[in-house]
Amino acid sequence: PTVASKKLSVGTVHSAVPVGGQTKGETIEAMAGEWKDFTFRPIRESQVSRAMTRRYFSDLDKYAESDVVIIGAGSCGLSAAYCLAKARPDLKIAIIEASVSPGGGAWLGGQLFSAMVMRKPADAFLREIGVGYEEDGDDSNYVVVKHAALFTSTLLSKVLQFPNVKLFNATAVEDLITRPREDGTIQIAGVVTNWTLVSMHHDDQSCMDPNTINAPVIISTTGHDGPFGAFSVKRLVSMQAIKCLGGMRGLDMNTAEDAIVKGTREIVPGLIVGGMELSEVDGANRMGPTFGAMALSGVKAAEEVVKVFEQ
Ligand code: AHZ
């Protein structure tokens, strides 16, 4: 049989093989100096396509009914995903990220600069995920991570290694699924998704129907208002589930960070909002480039989800 017609196996799963770890066969060290006769093992193009599409569509099928959907994989969404996946390995968690690259605004520590500042006690989160930092400030009130990208990449890699998490990136949440409740209010019951590039072309292409994920609990962490930001809370206003938005206020680090962490909560049944999206609901200040509140708002959002499942 040709390679194309052979039944393709899903293959052995080498979970979390560390770089340089022992899979079967060659090691990097054994390759040293052997490049003259070097060759990759053969592959057929269709195998590559099938290896990817089979998994993608099987994941779409599996996560069409999820336990939790996290909208937005910025610093808050990823922190929430980490805590929730760790606390509740029994929950199926789908993360929907509009951008190709997850991480949101946390690849830089803020503005143009690479270091990331976190005020204490958010240093506890850095220790939890194993990211090193320097103490700084007069009374060591804050810590500094050498590269914000180290925070984001470490957190992301830990989140993606949980077997109960699936990230769908380049995918936007276009709408919320709702159900009526007996008291006349609504319950959020899932999300409507589309590939982001498709979402961006509803105005100049004919109808392009989106996809759906049902889930009893959603965490929305889509950041403050912007082209994609504050998505869920703006939609809550337009569907009259909440009256209006408070609108993010000016920069005040001390006020802003406490308010975001304390305010992280279920805004309407089934929808927990965290991170800077919350500033748009509550009329909270922004904090600028200090990220402790994003991590701890994620911790609290995960806690709120656990409460819902324990009710
Ligand atoms: O792409 C967005 C980003 O990665 C994603 N997102 C937004 N709308 C979406 C939608 N569907 C899917 N409809 C969507 N994904 O959400 C992510 C938000 O990340 P972020 O870093 O913007 O928000 P955050 O709340 O996690 O962190 C905010 C960081 C800020 S902003 C700020 C200030 O302006 O003062 N200070 C800090 C620390």
Side-chain angles (χ1 to χ4, degrees), residues 152-171:
T152 302
S153 58
T154 304
L155 179 56
L156 186 57
S157 89
K158 289 198 182 294
V159 165
L160 297 184
Q161 285 180 50
F162 283 110
N164 55 329
V165 168
K166 172 65 193 173
L167 167 72
F168 295 96
N169 51 333
T171 304

mmCIF file of all heavy atoms in Angstrom, residues 152-171:
data_model
loop_
_atom_site.group_PDB
_atom_site.id
_atom_site.type_symbol
_atom_site.label_atom_id
_atom_site.label_comp_id
_atom_site.label_asym_id
_atom_site.label_seq_id
_atom_site.Cartn_x
_atom_site.Cartn_y
_atom_site.Cartn_z
ATOM 1 N N THR A 152 5.021 34.991 30.318
ATOM 2 C CA THR A 152 3.945 34.560 29.420
ATOM 3 C C THR A 152 4.226 33.176 28.838
ATOM 4 O O THR A 152 3.353 32.311 28.806
ATOM 5 C CB THR A 152 3.756 35.595 28.291
ATOM 6 O OG1 THR A 152 3.475 36.854 28.909
ATOM 7 C CG2 THR A 152 2.603 35.240 27.369
ATOM 8 N N SER A 153 5.467 32.955 28.408
ATOM 9 C CA SER A 153 5.761 31.660 27.776
ATOM 10 C C SER A 153 5.728 30.527 28.792
ATOM 11 O O SER A 153 5.272 29.424 28.478
ATOM 12 C CB SER A 153 7.106 31.698 27.045
ATOM 13 O OG SER A 153 8.142 32.031 27.952
ATOM 14 N N THR A 154 6.168 30.786 30.018
ATOM 15 C CA THR A 154 6.145 29.735 31.042
ATOM 16 C C THR A 154 4.701 29.379 31.388
ATOM 17 O O THR A 154 4.318 28.208 31.433
ATOM 18 C CB THR A 154 6.888 30.196 32.320
ATOM 19 O OG1 THR A 154 8.211 30.571 31.959
ATOM 20 C CG2 THR A 154 6.930 29.103 33.371
ATOM 21 N N LEU A 155 3.897 30.422 31.617
ATOM 22 C CA LEU A 155 2.492 30.200 31.980
ATOM 23 C C LEU A 155 1.768 29.467 30.851
ATOM 24 O O LEU A 155 1.046 28.490 31.072
ATOM 25 C CB LEU A 155 1.847 31.564 32.277
ATOM 26 C CG LEU A 155 0.381 31.579 32.664
ATOM 27 C CD1 LEU A 155 0.098 30.690 33.873
ATOM 28 C CD2 LEU A 155 -0.077 33.023 32.955
ATOM 29 N N LEU A 156 1.997 29.948 29.636
ATOM 30 C CA LEU A 156 1.345 29.342 28.466
ATOM 31 C C LEU A 156 1.742 27.881 28.334
ATOM 32 O O LEU A 156 0.893 27.005 28.106
ATOM 33 C CB LEU A 156 1.764 30.136 27.222
ATOM 34 C CG LEU A 156 1.127 29.792 25.895
ATOM 35 C CD1 LEU A 156 -0.387 29.906 25.961
ATOM 36 C CD2 LEU A 156 1.674 30.718 24.809
ATOM 37 N N SER A 157 3.021 27.596 28.505
ATOM 38 C CA SER A 157 3.453 26.203 28.306
ATOM 39 C C SER A 157 2.872 25.313 29.392
ATOM 40 O O SER A 157 2.511 24.167 29.138
ATOM 41 C CB SER A 157 4.976 26.102 28.224
ATOM 42 O OG SER A 157 5.532 25.913 29.496
ATOM 43 N N LYS A 158 2.734 25.832 30.603
ATOM 44 C CA LYS A 158 2.128 25.015 31.670
ATOM 45 C C LYS A 158 0.648 24.778 31.384
ATOM 46 O O LYS A 158 0.152 23.664 31.557
ATOM 47 C CB LYS A 158 2.316 25.695 33.031
ATOM 48 C CG LYS A 158 3.762 25.642 33.498
ATOM 49 C CD LYS A 158 3.893 25.906 34.962
ATOM 50 C CE LYS A 158 5.346 25.891 35.412
ATOM 51 N NZ LYS A 158 6.001 24.593 35.296
ATOM 52 N N VAL A 159 -0.038 25.833 30.962
ATOM 53 C CA VAL A 159 -1.479 25.698 30.673
ATOM 54 C C VAL A 159 -1.706 24.667 29.566
ATOM 55 O O VAL A 159 -2.565 23.795 29.670
ATOM 56 C CB VAL A 159 -2.075 27.074 30.280
ATOM 57 C CG1 VAL A 159 -3.442 26.922 29.633
ATOM 58 C CG2 VAL A 159 -2.157 27.985 31.499
ATOM 59 N N LEU A 160 -0.903 24.754 28.516
ATOM 60 C CA LEU A 160 -1.144 23.888 27.356
ATOM 61 C C LEU A 160 -0.784 22.433 27.633
ATOM 62 O O LEU A 160 -1.210 21.539 26.905
ATOM 63 C CB LEU A 160 -0.378 24.409 26.130
ATOM 64 C CG LEU A 160 -0.817 25.797 25.645
ATOM 65 C CD1 LEU A 160 -0.084 26.179 24.375
ATOM 66 C CD2 LEU A 160 -2.322 25.882 25.431
ATOM 67 N N GLN A 161 -0.013 22.192 28.680
ATOM 68 C CA GLN A 161 0.331 20.797 29.000
ATOM 69 C C GLN A 161 -0.746 20.082 29.817
ATOM 70 O O GLN A 161 -0.697 18.866 29.957
ATOM 71 C CB GLN A 161 1.663 20.751 29.751
ATOM 72 C CG GLN A 161 2.840 20.996 28.815
ATOM 73 C CD GLN A 161 4.176 20.951 29.518
ATOM 74 O OE1 GLN A 161 4.451 20.017 30.249
ATOM 75 N NE2 GLN A 161 4.975 21.978 29.305
ATOM 76 N N PHE A 162 -1.708 20.831 30.345
ATOM 77 C CA PHE A 162 -2.794 20.153 31.070
ATOM 78 C C PHE A 162 -3.632 19.354 30.065
ATOM 79 O O PHE A 162 -4.074 19.912 29.050
ATOM 80 C CB PHE A 162 -3.701 21.170 31.770
ATOM 81 C CG PHE A 162 -3.130 21.738 33.036
ATOM 82 C CD1 PHE A 162 -2.723 23.059 33.104
ATOM 83 C CD2 PHE A 162 -3.001 20.944 34.173
ATOM 84 C CE1 PHE A 162 -2.197 23.598 34.273
ATOM 85 C CE2 PHE A 162 -2.477 21.471 35.343
ATOM 86 C CZ PHE A 162 -2.073 22.784 35.403
ATOM 87 N N PRO A 163 -3.894 18.075 30.361
ATOM 88 C CA PRO A 163 -4.662 17.277 29.397
ATOM 89 C C PRO A 163 -6.107 17.732 29.252
ATOM 90 O O PRO A 163 -6.764 17.405 28.268
ATOM 91 C CB PRO A 163 -4.593 15.855 29.970
ATOM 92 C CG PRO A 163 -4.106 15.980 31.368
ATOM 93 C CD PRO A 163 -3.409 17.294 31.506
ATOM 94 N N ASN A 164 -6.616 18.498 30.229
ATOM 95 C CA ASN A 164 -8.024 18.922 30.176
ATOM 96 C C ASN A 164 -8.212 20.309 29.567
ATOM 97 O O ASN A 164 -9.274 20.903 29.695
ATOM 98 C CB ASN A 164 -8.652 18.876 31.581
ATOM 99 C CG ASN A 164 -7.885 19.695 32.611
ATOM 100 O OD1 ASN A 164 -6.665 19.832 32.509
ATOM 101 N ND2 ASN A 164 -8.578 20.238 33.601
ATOM 102 N N VAL A 165 -7.159 20.836 28.908
ATOM 103 C CA VAL A 165 -7.264 22.174 28.299
ATOM 104 C C VAL A 165 -7.042 22.075 26.801
ATOM 105 O O VAL A 165 -6.143 21.382 26.335
ATOM 106 C CB VAL A 165 -6.170 23.103 28.894
ATOM 107 C CG1 VAL A 165 -6.070 24.393 28.085
ATOM 108 C CG2 VAL A 165 -6.454 23.425 30.356
ATOM 109 N N LYS A 166 -7.879 22.792 26.037
ATOM 110 C CA LYS A 166 -7.632 22.937 24.603
ATOM 111 C C LYS A 166 -7.716 24.415 24.237
ATOM 112 O O LYS A 166 -8.695 25.085 24.545
ATOM 113 C CB LYS A 166 -8.669 22.136 23.800
ATOM 114 C CG LYS A 166 -8.637 22.369 22.300
ATOM 115 C CD LYS A 166 -7.358 21.909 21.632
ATOM 116 C CE LYS A 166 -7.248 22.458 20.209
ATOM 117 N NZ LYS A 166 -5.941 22.174 19.581
ATOM 118 N N LEU A 167 -6.661 24.908 23.594
ATOM 119 C CA LEU A 167 -6.638 26.297 23.110
ATOM 120 C C LEU A 167 -7.036 26.323 21.639
ATOM 121 O O LEU A 167 -6.449 25.611 20.820
ATOM 122 C CB LEU A 167 -5.221 26.862 23.257
ATOM 123 C CG LEU A 167 -4.944 28.185 22.523
ATOM 124 C CD1 LEU A 167 -5.647 29.361 23.208
ATOM 125 C CD2 LEU A 167 -3.441 28.455 22.444
ATOM 126 N N PHE A 168 -8.049 27.116 21.328
ATOM 127 C CA PHE A 168 -8.388 27.389 19.929
ATOM 128 C C PHE A 168 -7.947 28.819 19.657
ATOM 129 O O PHE A 168 -8.626 29.775 20.055
ATOM 130 C CB PHE A 168 -9.897 27.241 19.690
ATOM 131 C CG PHE A 168 -10.402 25.829 19.888
ATOM 132 C CD1 PHE A 168 -10.958 25.435 21.093
ATOM 133 C CD2 PHE A 168 -10.310 24.893 18.868
ATOM 134 C CE1 PHE A 168 -11.430 24.141 21.288
ATOM 135 C CE2 PHE A 168 -10.775 23.587 19.043
ATOM 136 C CZ PHE A 168 -11.331 23.210 20.255
ATOM 137 N N ASN A 169 -6.793 28.990 19.038
ATOM 138 C CA ASN A 169 -6.361 30.360 18.737
ATOM 139 C C ASN A 169 -6.763 30.726 17.312
ATOM 140 O O ASN A 169 -7.290 29.885 16.574
ATOM 141 C CB ASN A 169 -4.870 30.573 19.002
ATOM 142 C CG ASN A 169 -3.970 29.549 18.363
ATOM 143 O OD1 ASN A 169 -4.377 28.425 18.128
ATOM 144 N ND2 ASN A 169 -2.754 29.929 18.089
ATOM 145 N N ALA A 170 -6.569 32.003 16.974
ATOM 146 C CA ALA A 170 -7.062 32.554 15.704
ATOM 147 C C ALA A 170 -8.578 32.373 15.595
ATOM 148 O O ALA A 170 -9.142 32.308 14.502
ATOM 149 C CB ALA A 170 -6.349 31.921 14.509
ATOM 150 N N THR A 171 -9.225 32.278 16.749
ATOM 151 C CA THR A 171 -10.670 32.037 16.823
ATOM 152 C C THR A 171 -11.283 33.082 17.747
ATOM 153 O O THR A 171 -10.790 33.272 18.867
ATOM 154 C CB THR A 171 -10.939 30.622 17.392
ATOM 155 O OG1 THR A 171 -10.261 29.679 16.577
ATOM 156 C CG2 THR A 171 -12.406 30.295 17.452
#
